[in-house]
Amino acid sequence: MKRILITGGAGFLGSHLCDRFIKEGYHVIAMDNLITGDIRNLEHLFPLSNFEFHHHDVSQFIHVAGELDYILHFASPASPIDYLKIPIQTLKVGSLGIHNCLGLARVKNARVLIASTSEVYGDPTVHPQPEEYWGNVNPVGPRGVYDEAKRFQEAMTMAYHTYHGLETRIVRIFNTYGPRMRLNDGRVLPAFIGQALRGEDLTIFGDGSQTRSFCYVDDLVEGIYRLLLSDYPSPVNIGNPVEITIKEFAEEIIKLTGTSQQVVYKPLPTDDPKQRQPNISKAKAILDWEPKVSRAEGLRITYDYFKNLPEEELYKAAY
Ligand code: UDP
């Protein structure tokens, strides 16, 4: 049985990855300090003998007994309000955390895949963004703690690959959504659906002309699975290239939820990227991957999940 360590295993993406590797017959070790992750995302796996949960902060030395074939580094605050609130932890998990993972991988002779992000492109001046684009990031702006940690993480991972011959993979993840996102994490989809469910107006930041491209979580997980098993060490974008403005997105959510609320406009956060759309030519060519789930279908599934959460979840503050 192959053994895999998934850091950030109790988070939105981490928990879906745990499910996928359990389904593939792996022994899965999920590690999380539960700062932004939620243990309830993993409860259904606790009875399984091929699943372990380790409550641990990966910025501290990591000890795992036994062999490991793969390490997925997915631990990190990942929404703008999270990394504004806990900037130092965000920088530490992207730097000390990946250093610990890479060191562990050397000892175990394991392959490492890291969760990088479209944020490495910053507020892009090239559109759509191919992997060759170096980005336009403000290192000292409020988002810099996340963007630069992820850029450092890529550099560190590539250095271990080049200098130690470690097997490494880098996925650059674009906006992803689906069940188990935190309703209060501040990102646009849970924000809009939460507002609709509470009977509040939907808050558009700026004039709503900024764009994003939303990928359903199952599509992302399939891309990551293929990348891990590929032999390609350079970064690969995984995301859905169907682009939409935030204003149009708000209208879609209003229609989906049937809310009679309106949109209201709030100031645009500092350094909020104006446009974002992945160029996925590489994923298509190397992994034979492209997204399969339409936004209409993905949003329906995600809305059903949020609608069925206990009512008190709707009123929980972000922190
Ligand atoms: N946004 C918004 N209203 C909200 C939350 C977010 O208009 O209540 C905007 C945000 O300014 C950004 C886009 O939606 O332009 C996506 O934001 P999110 O935090 O989901 O992710 P990002 O891609 O910026 O990391």
Side-chain angles (χ1 to χ4, degrees):
M1 190 182 261
K2 296 268 188 211
R3 289 166 57 85
I4 187 166
L5 169 67
I6 303 178
T7 77
F12 163 48
L13 297 182
S15 65
H16 283 282
L17 287 162
C18 289
D19 285 345
R20 175 61 185 263
F21 284 94
I22 288 284
K23 206 167 120 204
E24 299 290 341
Y26 286 55
H27 184 98
V28 173
I29 302 164
M31 190 170 276
D32 208 301
N33 64 1
L34 301 177
I35 289 189
T36 56
D38 189 335
I39 199 68
R40 288 173 299 183
N41 291 336
L42 294 174
E43 268 168 1
H44 59 290
L45 300 178
F46 282 5
L48 304 179
S49 59
N50 58 329
F51 179 76
E52 293 171 41
F53 177 71
H54 294 209
H55 188 184
H56 181 68
D57 179 346
V58 296
S59 301
Q60 309 288 332
F61 183 84
I62 305 172
H63 173 73
V64 174
E67 299 191 348
L68 278 180
D69 300 285
Y70 302 109
I71 299 174
L72 303 188
H73 185 44
F74 275 69
S76 178
S79 85
I81 60 165
D82 284 343
Y83 45 79
L84 289 183
K85 189 85 184 173
I86 42 175
I88 313 290
Q89 285 97 325
T90 303
L91 280 159
K92 281 172 74 178
V93 74
S95 52
L96 305 177
I98 189 58
H99 192 215
N100 290 333
C101 286
L102 291 163
L104 180 67
R106 278 189 78 200
V107 172
K108 304 282 188 188
N109 199 20
R111 181 180 296 178
V112 178
L113 180 147
I114 64 158
S116 188
T117 167
S118 54
E119 284 280 324
V120 300
Y121 302 124
D123 189 2
T125 53
V126 171
H127 193 71
Q129 296 80 53
E131 288 84 348
E132 291 72 26
Y133 177 51
W134 291 352
N136 178 36
V137 170
N138 174 4
V140 293
R143 298 173 87 106
V145 294
Y146 183 70
D147 302 5
E148 294 296 359
K150 292 289 186 179
R151 289 169 69 96
F152 174 88
Q153 187 169 294
E154 288 196 8
M156 185 68 126
T157 301
M158 204 40 98
Y160 267 72
H161 175 69
T162 308
Y163 296 104
H164 291 310
L166 195 73
E167 287 230 48
T168 55
R169 308 286 179 266
I170 299 172
V171 57
R172 289 189 181 149
I173 299 170
F174 283 65
N175 295 66
T176 302
Y177 69 96
R180 301 187 195 152
M181 288 185 99
R182 268 186 14 241
L183 197 50
N184 59 1
D185 86 352
R187 278 185 285 190
V188 66
L189 180 137
F192 283 172
I193 291 187
Q195 287 160 343
L197 288 171
R198 288 188 299 268
E200 298 167 2
D201 288 337
L202 277 61
T203 52
I204 292 182
F205 297 164
D207 64 5
S209 64
Q210 71 271 34
T211 68
R212 294 294 185 271
S213 308
F214 297 98
C215 185
Y216 186 65
V217 63
D218 287 358
D219 282 333
L220 180 88
V221 165
E222 179 62 30
I224 291 169
Y225 182 74
R226 290 185 189 203
L227 178 62
L228 179 68
L229 300 185
S230 79
D231 58 4
Y232 193 75
S234 295
V236 178
N237 290 339
I238 300 283
N240 189 321
V242 180
E243 189 184 9
I244 184 173
T245 67
I246 294 303
K247 190 167 189 296
E248 287 163 341
F249 191 60
E251 282 154 13
E252 277 193 8
I253 300 293
I254 287 174
K255 230 185 235 154
L256 173 76
T257 58
T259 177
S260 48
Q261 303 297 133
Q262 316 283 311
V263 299
V264 288
Y265 292 88
K266 297 267 162 100
L268 192 66
T270 309
D271 295 339
D272 195 285
K274 278 180 252 345
Q275 49 182 6
R276 185 182 287 153
Q277 182 191 29
N279 175 327
I280 59 165
S281 313
K282 211 165 250 174
K284 278 186 183 161
I286 294 165
L287 311 175
D288 190 25
W289 175 88
E290 60 184 328
K292 299 265 184 285
V293 182
S294 68
R295 202 169 53 239
E297 189 185 348
L299 285 181
R300 253 197 318 275
I301 301 167
T302 309
Y303 178 49
D304 276 349
Y305 167 81
F306 283 129
K307 224 173 31 186
N308 291 313
L309 286 176
E311 203 181 334
E312 65 264 22
E313 291 289 320
L314 268 181
Y315 294 94
K316 260 192 194 158
Y319 283 98

